[in-house]
Amino acid sequence: MTGLDIRELECFLVLAEELHFGRTGERLYVSQSRVSQLIAALERGIGARLVERTSRRVRLTPLGERFLAELRPAYEELTSTVERARAAARGVEGTLRIGFQGTADARLMRAIAEFQERHPACVTEIVEIPFADPFGAVRHGDVDAAIVLLPVAEPELVLGPVFSRERQTVAVSVRHAFAGRESVTAAELKETPLIAATAPAPAYWRAAHAPSDVPAPAVRTLQEGLTLVAAGRGAMLLCRPTADYHGRKDVTFVPVDGVPESVLGMVWHRDGRTARVREFARVLAGAGRG
């Protein structure tokens, strides 16, 4: 990067987020004047203005916006490369906290065992996260990464390996009209009360897992949902492994035709891509193909 200083690039990336010279300086532990100096030096190296600053606001120029879009992934890859080299030099150590939603299935457990075998100096903790809050534990830093049901559209989260594509089933009471059927259709589900997760699960996520036009109760946990199913208060959409794991005598599971498969994915915060997280993602991707 002839003529460019990595500190200038870091300063630009932070300023693009904060759009405030003072807050940028606080995050970088430098003075506001130093932020101005770094941005000015970067602009001289580029040969054009990247930032417009008035007494009222700071914003990126059109060139600054394009530069940001190309710089951010390149910078993240650069920092990842450095971190991978550091990890290779010292080995993966510390504690990796993995959250799981619903059921820690065989693929996840196989990946954890393989990761632990490869990196005995890293302790792996497994934490169940609430059905009704699939992304909160990652967002708040309670876990380093989580295995969650897709979709995920949170801007601060990164979606890693995607795996465990399974046919969906609908859980119904043994007294329900669907009980004993070989399958039901997506159209029939639209007219069936489907129990969904409560907030803080995002609305788009709740809609994906309860694609119905009929009002139904909302629950915080799978067990709450299955209890309401058994009581005839509604039905619940579940993947086949989860249905098998949570089987009970008063609930039956009927395959559904015409709905997308259930898919699991590993997510982590975009500011939390440690060597431990990246290495586990690689192991999990391999386990998912197994």
Side-chain angles (χ1 to χ4, degrees), residues 50-120:
L50 300 173
V51 178
E52 292 180 352
R53 181 183 185 184
T54 69
S55 59
R56 293 187 175 183
R57 65 177 180 176
V58 175
R59 67 181 181 182
L60 301 184
T61 66
L63 177 60
E65 294 282 2
R66 292 199 301 273
F67 183 60
L68 174 65
E70 296 180 7
L71 174 62
R72 180 172 284 144
Y75 178 81
E76 290 179 351
E77 181 57 32
L78 175 62
T79 55
S80 296
T81 299
V82 172
E83 185 58 34
R84 285 195 295 270
R86 288 173 176 167
R90 68 174 184 267
V92 177
E93 302 173 333
T95 301
L96 176 68
R97 297 162 299 169
I98 298 293
F100 71 92
Q101 187 184 29
T103 305
D105 71 0
R107 288 182 178 89
L108 175 58
M109 298 311 297
R110 185 165 61 247
I112 290 172
E114 182 177 342
F115 176 84
Q116 199 69 72
E117 183 178 351
R118 289 188 188 184
H119 306 287

Side-chain angles (χ1 to χ4, degrees), residues 7 94 127:
R7 291 170 297 179
V127 180

Side-chain angles (χ1 to χ4, degrees), residues 11 14 44 71 75 92 95 97 101 108 112-113 125-126 134 155 163-164 171 201 207 209 242 247 255 269:
C11 185
V14 175
R44 285 195 298 273
L71 174 62
Y75 178 81
V92 177
T95 301
R97 297 162 299 169
Q101 187 184 29
L108 175 58
I112 290 172
E125 295 181 356
I126 311 170
F163 63 103
S164 194
H209 296 285
T242 300
H269 198 282

Side-chain angles (χ1 to χ4, degrees), residues 53 81 104 111 118 128 146 162 174 197 267 278 289:
R53 181 183 185 184
T81 299
R118 289 188 188 184
E128 184 175 5
V162 173
V174 293
V267 298
R278 286 193 297 273
R289 291 191 295 267

Side-chain angles (χ1 to χ4, degrees), residues 178 181 183-194 211-212 214:
F178 291 163
R181 293 264 302 269
S183 65
V184 299
T185 67
E188 289 175 306
L189 281 190
K190 292 283 286 184
E191 300 176 356
T192 301
L194 291 179
S212 171
V214 183

Side-chain angles (χ1 to χ4, degrees), residues 186-250:
E188 289 175 306
L189 281 190
K190 292 283 286 184
E191 300 176 356
T192 301
L194 291 179
I195 296 167
T198 64
Y204 71 85
W205 190 91
R206 284 179 274 151
H209 296 285
S212 171
D213 295 330
V214 183
V219 297
R220 294 169 299 173
T221 70
L222 281 174
Q223 287 301 327
E224 287 179 8
L226 288 172
T227 299
L228 290 178
V229 167
R233 298 283 301 280
M236 198 170 187
L237 202 58
L238 297 173
C239 68
R240 181 77 258 179
T242 300
D244 291 340
Y245 183 83
H246 291 282
R248 45 189 293 170
K249 294 180 179 180
D250 49 2

Side-chain angles (χ1 to χ4, degrees), residues 25 39 49 76 119 122 150-152 177 227 237 251-252 275:
I39 295 299
R49 295 288 299 277
E76 290 179 351
H119 306 287
C122 183
L150 301 189
V152 54
T227 299
L237 202 58
V251 173
T252 189

